[in-house]
């Protein structure tokens, strides 16, 4: 039975107590006290429960004997355990004694060592102080050495590197371009040294670097001039070192400009020699060259071809020159501009008149200077050709050809080019030659003005003038004249080349009679219109010619109208009726007029009948020399219409007069004439306006 098998009272469950036994007076006080103590104990306490659990784990049997000896056994066990602990602590005490002895020995050894160290420290103290001093000095020396090395590496150029920069015996190669920026950096960084306490070093270094830098740029300048003398711009693999040298030299604007001047003079001579060789087949020193093409002067007898070849060569040379110089000066972007700006900043005396560098503008100026010699030779040769030819068409074609190249060069070189000025001068010279020869030709024609041709056809001089004008218009049509100003641009030429001949034709026509005068004028105007209508830039002048033709057509209509009136015998009747109004008195007076007497009216009717069958044929015969048959038909038809209107007027007046006579005191359709005969006006003049329209339709 375990200790937990006891109930809450702490008694063995098998031990039963009679209920009456608790109240018995004979029970002893000891037992009562014991029971009270047991009953008052709370087994809910954790310590009690833990003690019971420990007791249970020991396997103790719950017997009366065991319960009586439980306290004794527990105390005995405690005493035994305490004895074991005391024995163990005895061993620990012995160990602590041995450790104490060891520590005392160690303390004695440490004290001995401390004494030895103090003695050694007293002996080595001065040596350590001296070593520390030497070590500090060594560090200072190392720092100074490093500073000196850094200073020499940054501010001092080695003799070999300096020789590559300033020696004329060394080439301008990649080593030169590597060392030059370093020398410029040294010169710039010397300003830092000038801010130190000792400025003498900075001044000395700056002075030396300035001399070396100037010597290096002078060497570069001479090398570039040497390269320019042997430069072949036609070589596609142009020297890259030369392009790089120009970009570097741009940092010295004065030297750079001097190089450009030298280059421009050299290129001007070379291009002038090339132009002379292209013209004559020989160089300027009169030695024959091996040319693969014929000299341009072989075509000097053909002025237009000669001028075209000369201008084509000039254009080709200009394009090649510009492309080559663009590769040489502009292909690297704005590096030259940057160099020039840096150079201007380094040369304060050049900042006053300095302008911002424009690569394209400078390129155009350089090409212009290179071509100045060619421009002078071009002007001389072309002016000779222009003055030697007396054909106005050729002179005008040359002017248009020059204008074509003038526009081309304007786009290529700008408006300030000497070549462009030369071409403008040559164009004006060609136009003056054209006007001079044209005026001479007009003067010759005017001096030999003859009568009108029998067939009233366009005279030969006008046909030649129109053929010439066609050539001029074809030449102008192929030019680069702006579309918006083509009409106005050609108007002066048209006035000079056509109006004088038309004036001569008008003077010739003024000496003739109608309708020959008008027919001749219209034929000339129609020929001029036919020539001008082929081009779109003469529309204004064609419209003006149409208006003039319309005016002359009106004259022909009037002439044909008069022809119908006179040849038909209607004119006297119409003239007599014109002032007659619609009043009765005026209508009664008609019979008293001479054209309305019986015999006169009968004769007029007969004349009309004889005229009408062949009226249109006779009228068309008047205009047979008009070159536009459709126009002749239209003129005759319009005149016939006017004639029909006039006849209708006459018919109405006669009918009104007969009607008035029939309503009076006289017999119907009969009147008494001055000779006492009676007759009807419509009976004597029976034709109606309908008959007339049918016969003249």
């Amino acid at each position: 039975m375990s200790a937990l098998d006891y109930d809450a009272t702490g008694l063995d469950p098998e031990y039963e107590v009679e209920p009456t036994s608790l109240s018995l007076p004979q029970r002893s006080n000891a037992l009562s006290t014991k029971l009270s103590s047991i009953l008052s104990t709370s087994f809910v306490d954790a310590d009690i429960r833990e003690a019971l659990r420990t007791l249970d784990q020991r396997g103790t049997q719950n017997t009366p004997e065991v319960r009586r000896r439980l306290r004794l056994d527990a105390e005995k066990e405690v005493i035994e355990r305490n004895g074991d602990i005391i024995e163990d602590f005895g061993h620990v005490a012995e160990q602590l004694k041995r450790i104490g002895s060891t520590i005392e020995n160690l303390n004695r050894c440490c004290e001995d060592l401390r004494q030895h160290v103090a003695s050694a420290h007293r002996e080595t103290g001065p040596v350590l102080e001296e070593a520390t001093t030497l070590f500090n000095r060594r560090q200072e020396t190392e720092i100074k050495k490093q500073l000196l090395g850094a200073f020499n590496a940054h501010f001092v150029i080695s003799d070999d590197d300096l020789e590559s920069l300033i020696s004329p015996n060394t080439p301008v190669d990649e080593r030169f371009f590597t060392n030059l920026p370093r020398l410029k950096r040294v010169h710039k960084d010397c300003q830092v040294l000038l801010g130190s306490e000792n400025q003498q070093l900075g001044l000395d270094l700056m002075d030396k670097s300035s001399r070396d830098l100037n010597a290096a740029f002078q060497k570069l300048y001479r090398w570039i001039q040497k390269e320019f003398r042997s430069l072949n711009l036609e070589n596609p693999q142009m020297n890259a070192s030369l392009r790089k040298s120009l970009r570097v030299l741009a940092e010295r604007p004065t030297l750079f400009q001097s190089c450009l001047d030298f280059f421009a003079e050299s290129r001007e001579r070379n291009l002038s020699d090339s132009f002379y060789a292209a013209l004559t087949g020989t160089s300027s020193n009169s030695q024959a060259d091996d040319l693969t093409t014929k000299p341009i002067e072989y075509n000097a007898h053909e002025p237009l071809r000669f001028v075209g070849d000369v201008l084509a060569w000039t254009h080709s040379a200009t394009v090649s020159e510009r492309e080559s110089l663009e590769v040489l000066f502009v292909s690297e972007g704005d590096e030259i501009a940057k160099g020039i700006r840096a150079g201007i900043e380094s040369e304060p005396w050049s900042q006053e008149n300095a302008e911002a560098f424009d690569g394209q503008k400078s390129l155009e100026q350089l090409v212009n200077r290179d071509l100045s010699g060619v421009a002078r030779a071009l002007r001389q040769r072309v002016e000779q050709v222009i003055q030697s030819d007396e054909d106005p068409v050729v002179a005008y074609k040359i002017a248009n050809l020059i204008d074509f190249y003038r526009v081309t060069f304007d786009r290529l070189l700008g408006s300030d080019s000497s070549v462009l000025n030369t071409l403008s001068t040559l164009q004006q010279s060609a136009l003056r030659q054209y006007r001079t020869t044209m005026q001479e030709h007009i003067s010759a024609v005017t001096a030999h003005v003859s009568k009108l041709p029998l067939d009233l056809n366009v005279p030969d001089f006008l046909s030649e003038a129109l053929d010439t004008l066609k050539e001029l218009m074809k030449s102008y049509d192929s030019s680069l004249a702006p579309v918006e100003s083509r009409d106005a641009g050609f108007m002066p030429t048209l006035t000079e080349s056509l109006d004088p001949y038309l004036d001569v034709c008008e003077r010739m026509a003024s000496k003739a009679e109608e309708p020959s005068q008008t027919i001749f004028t219209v034929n000339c105007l129609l020929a001029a219109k036919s020539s001008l209508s082929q081009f779109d830039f003469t529309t204004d002048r064609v419209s003006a010619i149409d208006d003039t033709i319309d005016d002359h057509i009106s004259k022909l209509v009037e002439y044909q109208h008069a022809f119908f009136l006179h040849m038909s015998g209607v004119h006297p009747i119409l003239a007599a009726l014109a002032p007659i109004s619609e009043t009765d008195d005026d209508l009664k007076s008609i019979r008293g007029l001479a054209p309305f007497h019986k015999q006169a009216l009968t004769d007029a009717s007969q004349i009309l009948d004889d005229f009408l069958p062949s009226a249109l044929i006779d009228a068309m015969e008047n205009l047979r020399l008009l070159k536009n048959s459709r126009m002749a038909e239209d003129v005759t038809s319009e005149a016939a219409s006017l004639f029909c209107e006039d006849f209708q007027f006459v018919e109405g007046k006669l009918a009104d007069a007969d009607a008035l006579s029939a309503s009076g005191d006289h017999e119907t359709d009969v009147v008494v004439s001055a000779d006492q005969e009676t007759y009807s006006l419509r009976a004597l003049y029976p034709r109606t306006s309908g008959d007339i329209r049918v016969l003249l339709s």
Side-chain angles (χ1 to χ4, degrees):
M1 180 179 297
S2 64
L4 295 178
D5 291 335
Y6 292 94
D7 58 7
T9 61
L11 299 177
D12 188 352
E14 295 179 356
Y15 180 77
E16 296 181 359
V17 180
E18 291 294 333
T20 58
S21 62
L22 295 176
S23 60
L24 293 179
Q26 63 269 24
R27 182 166 296 270
S28 63
N29 291 331
L31 181 60
S32 297
T33 302
K34 182 65 174 179
L35 289 175
S36 297
S37 175
I38 293 172
L39 291 174
S40 63
T41 302
S42 177
F43 296 97
V44 181
D45 190 0
D47 293 337
I48 298 298
R49 295 183 64 85
E50 185 66 25
L52 294 175
R53 186 179 290 107
T54 302
L55 184 61
D56 185 57
Q57 290 175 356
R58 292 173 61 88
T60 304
Q61 298 296 323
N62 188 10
T63 62
E65 181 64 26
V66 172
R67 287 196 298 270
R68 286 191 297 267
R69 295 185 60 84
L70 179 59
R71 181 181 181 90
L72 296 176
D73 292 338
E75 291 177 354
K76 178 182 179 181
E77 187 174 354
V78 169
I79 293 171
E80 291 176 354
R81 294 288 183 270
N82 289 336
D84 294 337
I85 291 171
I86 292 171
E87 185 178 358
D88 292 335
F89 271 105
H91 296 303
V92 171
E94 293 178 359
Q95 294 294 331
L96 289 176
K97 290 179 180 179
R98 287 196 295 272
I99 291 172
S101 300
T102 303
I103 290 174
E104 290 179 358
N105 294 331
L106 289 176
N107 288 333
R108 286 193 298 270
C109 292
C110 288
E111 183 63 26
D112 294 339
L113 290 175
R114 188 178 297 108
Q115 293 177 358
H116 288 298
V117 168
S119 176
H121 182 69
R122 288 191 298 271
E123 294 176 357
T124 59
V127 177
L128 289 176
E129 292 178 359
E130 184 179 358
T132 301
T133 302
L134 294 176
F135 181 76
N136 292 334
R137 291 179 180 178
R138 178 182 178 183
Q139 286 183 333
E140 293 176 359
T141 304
E142 290 291 337
I143 292 174
K144 291 180 180 180
K145 181 180 179 182
Q146 292 176 0
L147 290 175
L148 180 61
F151 180 85
N152 290 334
H154 189 80
F155 288 98
V156 178
I157 306 297
S158 65
D159 294 340
D160 292 339
D161 293 341
L162 190 60
E163 183 179 4
S164 68
L165 287 173
I166 64 177
S167 175
N169 299 324
T170 57
V172 176
D173 51 11
E174 192 63 30
R175 185 180 177 188
F176 177 89
F177 295 113
T178 301
N179 293 325
L180 184 61
R182 182 184 172 193
L183 180 59
K184 291 189 292 184
R185 187 170 62 252
V186 168
H187 180 74
K188 181 179 180 181
D189 292 344
C190 285
Q191 299 176 2
V192 179
L193 298 179
L194 295 178
S196 62
E197 295 180 358
N198 187 4
Q199 297 182 354
Q200 188 61 39
L201 177 61
L203 292 174
D204 294 342
L205 285 175
M206 179 168 286
D207 180 62
K208 185 177 184 305
S209 61
S210 297
R211 292 196 306 271
D212 295 340
L213 201 57
N214 291 332
F217 276 108
Q218 287 292 335
K219 174 184 177 180
L220 184 62
Y221 168 71
R222 290 189 295 271
W223 182 83
I224 291 177
Q225 284 189 325
K226 179 182 177 182
E227 290 295 316
F228 276 160
R229 293 188 184 96
S230 60
L231 179 63
N232 181 14
L233 291 180
E234 286 73 21
N235 182 13
Q237 302 297 332
M238 194 173 296
N239 192 347
S241 298
L242 181 58
R243 296 198 300 270
K244 191 172 184 179
S245 300
L246 289 172
R247 294 197 303 273
V248 173
L249 190 64
E251 298 178 14
R252 289 292 187 270
T254 304
L255 297 179
F256 182 76
Q257 187 61 43
S258 178
C259 266
L260 290 185
D261 295 339
F262 177 82
F263 177 78
E265 294 174 0
S266 176
R267 289 304 301 166
E268 181 183 355
R269 290 192 299 270
N270 294 338
L271 289 175
S272 298
D273 292 344
S274 299
F275 181 71
Y276 183 81
L279 282 176
T280 63
T282 58
S283 61
S284 58
N285 55 11
S286 299
Q287 294 181 357
D289 293 336
D290 184 13
L291 299 177
T292 58
T293 58
K294 293 190 302 183
I296 298 177
E297 285 190 344
Y298 279 6
N299 301 319
H301 61 285
E302 301 179 32
L304 186 61
R305 182 177 178 182
F306 175 80
V307 174
D309 291 345
V310 169
L311 292 177
W313 186 93
T314 305
H315 178 261
S316 176
T318 302
V319 173
S320 299
E321 188 76 6
R322 180 183 175 87
E323 290 177 350
S324 300
L325 296 185
E326 191 170 10
V327 172
L328 191 60
F329 292 100
V330 186
S331 62
E332 300 296 332
D334 57 349
E335 293 297 326
I336 291 181
K338 293 179 180 178
I340 290 180
R341 286 194 295 269
I344 292 176
E345 293 175 358
S346 65
E347 296 180 356
W349 56 87
S350 63
Q351 294 183 9
E352 181 176 355
N353 299 323
E355 297 180 358
F357 179 79
D358 187 344
Q360 291 297 329
K361 183 178 179 181
S362 300
L363 176 64
E364 292 174 357
Q365 293 175 351
L366 184 58
V367 175
N368 178 42
R369 293 176 60 185
D370 295 350
L371 294 171
S372 58
V374 174
R376 292 191 295 270
L378 175 68
R379 178 175 179 176
Q380 179 183 3
R381 294 303 179 98
V382 174
E383 281 187 344
Q384 290 176 356
V385 172
I386 292 174
Q387 299 299 328
S388 64
D389 191 85
E390 298 181 355
D391 187 351
V393 176
V394 173
Y396 188 78
K397 288 183 176 180
I398 290 176
N400 280 336
L401 180 62
I402 294 174
D403 184 66
F404 170 82
Y405 279 99
R406 183 187 63 80
V407 175
T408 303
F409 276 99
D410 187 15
R411 299 171 181 172
L412 189 63
L413 298 179
S415 57
D416 297 333
S417 170
S418 61
V419 176
L420 191 65
N421 295 333
T422 299
L423 293 179
S424 298
T425 303
L426 291 176
Q427 183 184 12
Q428 296 301 323
S429 177
L431 290 176
R432 284 196 302 270
Q433 180 68 10
Y434 155 74
R435 296 187 182 99
T436 301
T437 54
M438 185 64 71
Q439 291 172 359
E440 292 175 354
H441 190 265
I442 293 172
S443 300
V445 170
T446 305
H448 299 85
V449 175
S450 59
K451 297 181 180 179
L452 294 183
L454 296 178
D455 58 355
L456 301 182
N457 202 352
V458 178
D460 293 339
F461 70 85
L462 182 59
S463 297
E464 294 176 358
L466 292 177
D467 292 338
T468 300
L469 182 59
K470 288 181 182 178
E471 294 296 325
L472 298 180
M473 289 188 292
K474 290 179 181 178
S475 176
Y476 184 79
D477 191 40
S478 62
S479 67
L480 296 179
V483 177
E484 62 275 4
S485 61
R486 283 169 65 85
D487 292 3
F490 188 70
M491 188 58 66
T493 303
L494 183 59
T495 302
E496 296 168 354
S497 59
L498 180 61
D499 288 357
Y501 295 101
L502 293 180
D503 293 341
V504 174
C505 292
E506 289 182 0
R507 291 198 297 272
M508 292 174 61
S510 64
K511 301 177 182 179
E513 300 292 336
E514 290 291 352
S516 298
Q517 175 182 350
T518 304
I519 291 175
F520 176 74
T521 303
V522 171
N523 286 339
C524 294
L525 292 175
L526 288 175
K529 176 184 176 181
S530 176
S531 299
L532 296 178
S533 299
Q534 302 176 19
F535 302 91
D536 58 355
F537 50 84
T538 57
T539 53
D540 293 342
R541 188 56 189 272
V542 170
S543 298
I545 292 177
D546 284 335
D547 295 338
T548 306
I549 292 176
D550 291 339
D551 295 339
H552 288 288
I553 292 300
S554 299
K555 294 180 181 179
L556 291 178
V557 171
E558 294 175 359
Y559 177 83
Q560 290 291 73
H561 182 211
F563 173 78
F564 280 117
L565 291 176
H566 288 85
M567 296 305 296
S568 64
V570 176
H571 183 266
I573 298 174
L574 182 63
L577 292 175
I580 300 299
S581 65
E582 297 294 332
T583 62
D584 293 346
D585 293 339
D586 284 351
L587 293 176
K588 290 178 181 180
S589 67
I590 290 177
R591 288 175 176 80
L593 300 176
F596 298 99
H597 293 170
K598 182 177 181 180
Q599 187 60 43
L601 195 59
T602 302
D603 293 342
S605 178
Q606 186 61 42
I607 293 173
L608 178 62
D609 290 340
D610 293 340
F611 170 72
L612 287 177
S614 62
L616 286 178
I617 297 176
D618 294 340
M620 289 295 295
E621 186 67 17
N622 295 333
L623 305 180
R624 72 183 187 279
L625 298 180
L626 188 63
K627 298 307 176 181
N628 191 329
S629 59
R630 178 61 181 274
M631 185 178 291
E633 294 176 359
D634 294 340
V635 169
T636 304
S637 177
E638 186 176 353
S641 297
L642 295 175
F643 175 74
C644 291
E645 293 175 0
D646 293 338
F647 191 85
Q648 186 176 2
F649 172 77
V650 172
E651 180 186 10
K653 290 292 184 181
L654 296 180
D656 292 342
D658 287 344
L660 182 62
S661 176
S663 64
D665 296 336
H666 302 286
E667 295 294 330
T668 304
D669 296 331
V670 178
V671 296
V672 179
S673 64
D675 57 1
Q676 303 299 322
E677 295 186 33
T678 60
Y679 60 93
S680 170
L681 295 177
R682 291 297 296 136
L684 296 177
Y685 204 75
R687 287 287 185 180
T688 65
S689 59
D691 297 338
I692 300 299
R693 292 184 185 278
V694 172
L695 292 173
L696 295 183
S697 62

